[in-house]
Amino acid sequence: MKAEILTILKDTDGYVSGQELCERFGVSRTAVWKAMNQLKKEGYEIESVQNKGYHLVKTPDILSKNELVSIRKTKWVGTEICYFDVTDSTNTQAKSLGEGDAPNGTLVVAGKQESGRGRRGRSFESPAGTGIFMTLLLRPEIEPQNASMLTLVSALAVAKGIEHMVDLPVQIKWPNDIVINGKKVCGILTEMSAQMDYVNYIVIGIGINVGNEEFPEEIKDVATSIYLESGKHVNRAMLIEKIWEEFEDYYELYEKTQDLSSLVKEYDSYLVNRGQKVRVLDSKEPYEGKAMGITDRGELIVDTWEARRLVAAGEVSVRGVYGYV
Amino acid sequence: MKAEILTILKDTDGYVSGQELCERFGVSRTAVWKAMNQLKKEGYEIESVQNKGYHLVKTPDILSKNELVSIRKTKWVGTEICYFDVTDSTNTQAKSLGEGDAPNGTLVVAGKQESGRGRRGRSFESPAGTGIFMTLLLRPEIEPQNASMLTLVSALAVAKGIEHMVDLPVQIKWPNDIVINGKKVCGILTEMSAQMDYVNYIVIGIGINVGNEEFPEEIKDVATSIYLESGKHVNRAMLIEKIWEEFEDYYELYEKTQDLSSLVKEYDSYLVNRGQKVRVLDSKEPYEGKAMGITDRGELIVDTWEARRLVAAGEVSVRGVYGYV
């Protein structure tokens, strides 16, 4: 009921009558009053005026299941939401749900991660109250070899989602980092459980630096937050909602062809090093070339003076020759 | 100590002196006597003769951690063995070990599976005492897209392993079933947990019908056991050992090139429908052709009257036009 009351409060400009809420949910005035008090305790500023009813003055930056449910407009992402104030890692939780029978679209969100992981098991800083840590569980009807492109689909959704909230030049560092003004603001870790020809499930983990006011010395040249770049305190729940709304649209295009043919243009428009010199840190021999964009399969096209080369996502690390990105 | 005593008993033709065992393990005669009694209880026929010592008369078909450890000759497979009399599914157990820090080469073996699974979640019959149910955990340094070939590597190892035990025409039904006289005797289910470019772990699950004396009416035309085909009761622990010895050799060849280029010839020699007409049950349109062998990547080469087609493992089902296989 609390999430539904929240939705009604948010959708109403003026006052919501207590009597109406009683009738709608078939509960007593005391029950409504109690729910309002709980919401106030959680941090919502709710004004109650005799003979008029309740009014939501302000929604602070609250991350909770109720908050996420109350603003959800997505079609299938987040029909199930698992929220943790603190968890080890949302990917770990989502994989465990994947081994069970959690449905496609289940969303795991945490206020804080205690052992967040980046690619190849690198640790990932996850302080409380400042970031978004979430993982989407998918059970897609796709072939395992097409799964890695989902990371690029997700990167697009995050970039577009952030643009909804702040007026900043959001870019993608191929394949799966989101950067603002040359510094990383988001990382994405896609993991898959698969049989030879069959995907058991996929989890897409997304970590975003939202409200961080500073970073440790050793990473502050390469990491940033939305707050640091924009000076704005962005509502995390709303950003989450925007990202998954965008994701659903992009995913639909991806799903039709099981490749990125419909998304190449848009992805390329976000590509941070496009048209610039990059160094590809191949496992054999590093080389330099100009990053031209991506292919339908999500490979990075790099033109060297000898030939056009296609870089498969993740095989290598790509660096701008000038600066970090 | 029990596994080591077993190894000594097995490696000794005559009698093993109790005194020698005491000295070797630094324990009392009573401790040795107790260990012998436990082994007898587990089913080992051990003769003890005053002033001569202990002699292993016969090893019945016992599946246990001690038995497996006592005969292990592999280099790295099975350095850790998890044995269950009964478990849900050895793949489930191995995946759970994979999420933790179990080492490469960990082997899960069960006497009976309660919810064994075949490909795409199909259930798999796992009665007690008659079969081999095991799963190998790998943490290979390979690219995710090369993982599915491991199923074919494993199929080779199983075929060769069975040949060590019985004189039967063992064949492989591409990609991953082992058949004898046209009936299925073994299924293999490979599963993987991966990131975009990085394999977290792979589990290779192998189920073999060894001692089954009959099969339910509905599958007896397509399923068989080593016993039914050979009339021989094969020692399961020994068969397991032989399979992984073969696997290590094949795996070494696979690992060098991360493909099957060194194994194509041998695989083709086991291929049940080679040179014969097969029907490929493509998801779009079934077609017929002649199965010619496999490619370096493990695809099945099918020549139709129009063209040569490559069938990717698992995308489709291949049936012999005449009979089941």
Side-chain angles (χ1 to χ4, degrees):
Chain A
M1 187 175 78
K2 274 202 302 183
E4 284 159 308
I5 289 181
L6 264 180
T7 309
I8 295 170
L9 286 173
K10 284 178 182 174
D11 289 350
T12 311
D13 278 337
Y15 287 81
V16 178
S17 123
Q19 186 56 37
E20 264 175 46
L21 291 173
C22 293
E23 281 163 18
R24 169 124 183 203
F25 297 110
V27 297
S28 68
R29 286 192 89 101
T30 320
V32 169
W33 179 82
K34 270 189 185 165
M36 291 296 172
N37 266 10
Q38 281 168 7
L39 288 172
K40 283 182 199 170
K41 263 190 202 150
E42 287 171 20
Y44 296 95
E45 271 185 56
I46 298 169
E47 191 188 37
S48 49
V49 176
Q50 200 115 32
N51 295 325
K52 285 173 111 176
Y54 299 97
H55 171 62
L56 184 63
V57 181
K58 198 183 150 191
T59 298
D61 180 27
I62 292 171
L63 212 51
S64 69
K65 183 166 174 173
N66 281 330
E67 177 63 21
L68 291 166
V69 170
S70 77
I71 59 172
R72 197 175 80 84
K73 290 195 178 64
T74 47
K75 281 170 274 183
W76 55 273
V77 170
T79 38
E80 293 283 334
I81 292 178
C82 295
Y83 176 80
F84 300 91
D85 281 328
V86 181
T87 189
D88 45 359
S89 131
T90 53
N91 268 28
T92 302
Q93 292 293 340
K95 286 196 277 183
S96 158
L97 289 165
E99 292 291 332
D101 53 8
N104 182 50
T106 297
L107 183 62
V108 179
V109 179
K112 180 173 165 33
Q113 281 191 132
E114 294 204 310
S115 39
R117 288 172 313 126
R119 283 169 57 199
R120 293 171 177 261
R122 289 177 202 126
S123 74
F124 183 86
E125 285 296 316
S126 312
T130 57
I132 288 174
F133 313 104
M134 61 180 173
T135 300
L136 177 66
L137 173 69
L138 294 176
R139 300 189 183 279
E141 297 268 330
I142 60 171
E143 286 170 33
Q145 63 265 31
N146 296 335
S148 70
M149 287 179 269
L150 280 172
T151 301
L152 285 80
V153 174
S154 310
L156 260 182
V158 173
K160 199 81 175 275
I162 294 176
E163 283 182 343
H164 277 286
M165 308 297 289
V166 287
D167 187 20
L168 281 175
V170 186
Q171 292 184 296
I172 298 174
K173 177 169 175 294
W174 179 88
N176 62 338
D177 284 347
I178 309 297
V179 297
I180 300 177
N181 297 325
K183 292 181 177 179
K184 178 168 170 177
V185 75
C186 164
I188 300 172
L189 176 62
T190 302
E191 296 185 84
M192 164 173 73
S193 166
Q195 298 175 22
M196 284 177 77
D197 58 324
Y198 178 78
V199 172
N200 294 327
Y201 60 84
I202 288 171
V203 299
I204 302 174
I206 298 176
I208 309 176
N209 304 327
V210 182
N212 313 51
E213 296 181 1
E214 54 176 0
F215 284 93
E217 194 63 38
E218 63 272 25
I219 59 167
K220 73 176 197 187
D221 289 342
V222 294
T224 191
S225 71
I226 296 175
Y227 170 74
L228 282 174
E229 297 302 318
S230 69
K232 256 185 81 176
H233 280 291
V234 159
N235 184 292
R236 287 174 295 161
M238 191 55 73
L239 175 54
I240 291 172
E241 170 60 21
K242 290 294 175 198
I243 288 170
W244 296 120
E245 282 176 25
E246 292 296 338
F247 179 84
E248 285 186 342
D249 289 344
Y250 288 129
Y251 184 81
E252 205 176 308
L253 293 170
Y254 158 81
E255 208 183 14
K256 267 183 204 159
T257 51
Q258 286 197 30
D259 67 18
L260 304 175
S261 44
S262 315
L263 298 173
V264 165
K265 242 188 187 168
E266 183 144 13
Y267 189 95
D268 282 350
S269 75
Y270 280 103
L271 197 58
V272 67
N273 282 313
R274 196 179 182 204
Q276 290 170 18
K277 208 168 170 186
V278 293
R279 176 186 294 271
V280 181
L281 301 177
D282 200 300
S283 56
K284 285 160 203 150
E285 200 178 7
Y287 59 91
E288 288 183 1
K290 201 194 241 183
M292 304 307 290
I294 62 165
T295 68
D296 286 356
R297 304 268 324 149
E299 298 143 315
L300 185 69
I301 303 163
V302 175
D303 283 349
T304 70
W305 66 273
E306 294 166 308
R308 168 155 289 195
R309 297 175 77 153
L310 300 183
V311 188
E315 263 176 31
V316 297
S317 174
V318 176
R319 292 263 177 282
V321 173
Y322 314 107
Y324 164 69
V325 290
Chain B
M1 185 176 78
K2 275 202 300 185
E4 285 159 307
I5 289 181
L6 263 180
T7 309
I8 296 170
L9 286 173
K10 284 179 181 172
D11 289 350
T12 311
D13 278 338
Y15 287 82
V16 179
S17 123
Q19 186 56 36
E20 265 175 43
L21 291 174
C22 294
E23 282 163 19
R24 169 124 183 202
F25 297 109
V27 297
S28 68
R29 287 193 89 102
T30 320
V32 169
W33 179 83
K34 270 190 185 164
M36 291 296 174
N37 266 11
Q38 281 168 10
L39 290 171
K40 283 181 197 169
K41 263 189 202 148
E42 288 172 18
Y44 296 94
E45 272 185 54
I46 298 169
E47 190 187 36
S48 49
V49 177
Q50 200 113 34
N51 297 325
K52 285 173 112 178
Y54 300 97
H55 172 61
L56 183 64
V57 182
K58 197 184 151 191
T59 298
D61 180 26
I62 292 171
L63 212 50
S64 68
K65 182 167 174 172
N66 281 330
E67 177 63 22
L68 291 166
V69 170
S70 77
I71 60 171
R72 197 175 79 85
K73 288 195 179 65
T74 46
K75 281 170 273 183
W76 56 273
V77 170
T79 38
E80 292 283 333
I81 293 178
C82 294
Y83 176 80
F84 301 91
D85 281 329
V86 181
T87 188
D88 45 359
S89 131
T90 54
N91 269 28
T92 302
Q93 292 293 339
K95 285 196 280 182
S96 159
L97 290 165
E99 293 290 332
D101 54 8
N104 182 51
T106 297
L107 183 62
V108 179
V109 180
K112 179 172 165 34
Q113 281 192 131
E114 294 203 311
S115 40
R117 289 171 312 127
R119 282 169 59 199
R120 293 172 177 261
R122 289 177 202 128
S123 75
F124 183 85
E125 285 296 316
S126 313
T130 57
I132 288 174
F133 313 104
M134 61 181 173
T135 300
L136 177 66
L137 172 69
L138 293 176
R139 299 189 184 279
E141 298 269 328
I142 60 171
E143 286 169 32
Q145 63 265 34
N146 296 335
S148 70
M149 287 179 268
L150 280 171
T151 302
L152 285 80
V153 174
S154 309
L156 261 181
V158 172
K160 199 80 174 277
I162 294 175
E163 283 182 345
H164 277 285
M165 307 298 288
V166 288
D167 188 19
L168 281 175
V170 186
Q171 291 184 296
I172 298 174
K173 176 169 176 292
W174 180 89
N176 62 337
D177 284 347
I178 309 297
V179 296
I180 300 177
N181 297 325
K183 292 180 178 178
K184 178 168 171 177
V185 75
C186 165
I188 300 173
L189 176 62
T190 302
E191 295 184 86
M192 165 172 72
S193 165
Q195 298 175 21
M196 283 178 78
D197 58 323
Y198 178 78
V199 172
N200 294 326
Y201 60 84
I202 288 171
V203 299
I204 301 174
I206 298 176
I208 309 175
N209 304 326
V210 182
N212 314 51
E213 297 180 359
E214 54 176 359
F215 284 92
E217 193 63 38
E218 64 273 25
I219 59 166
K220 73 178 199 188
D221 288 342
V222 293
T224 189
S225 72
I226 296 177
Y227 170 75
L228 281 174
E229 298 302 318
S230 68
K232 257 185 82 175
H233 281 291
V234 159
N235 184 292
R236 287 174 296 161
M238 190 56 74
L239 175 54
I240 291 172
E241 171 60 21
K242 290 295 176 199
I243 288 169
W244 296 119
E245 283 176 24
E246 292 297 337
F247 179 84
E248 285 186 343
D249 290 345
Y250 289 128
Y251 184 80
E252 204 175 310
L253 293 170
Y254 158 80
E255 207 183 15
K256 266 182 205 160
T257 50
Q258 286 196 32
D259 67 19
L260 304 175
S261 44
S262 314
L263 299 172
V264 165
K265 241 188 187 167
E266 184 145 13
Y267 189 95
D268 281 351
S269 74
Y270 281 102
L271 196 58
V272 66
N273 282 313
R274 197 182 180 201
Q276 290 170 20
K277 208 170 172 186
V278 294
R279 176 186 294 272
V280 181
L281 302 177
D282 200 300
S283 56
K284 284 161 205 150
E285 200 180 6
Y287 57 90
E288 288 184 2
K290 200 194 241 184
M292 304 306 291
I294 62 164
T295 68
D296 286 356
R297 304 268 324 150
E299 298 142 316
L300 186 69
I301 303 163
V302 176
D303 284 349
T304 70
W305 65 273
E306 295 164 307
R308 167 156 289 195
R309 297 175 75 154
L310 301 182
V311 188
E315 266 176 30
V316 296
S317 174
V318 176
R319 292 263 178 281
V321 173
Y322 315 106
Y324 164 69
V325 291

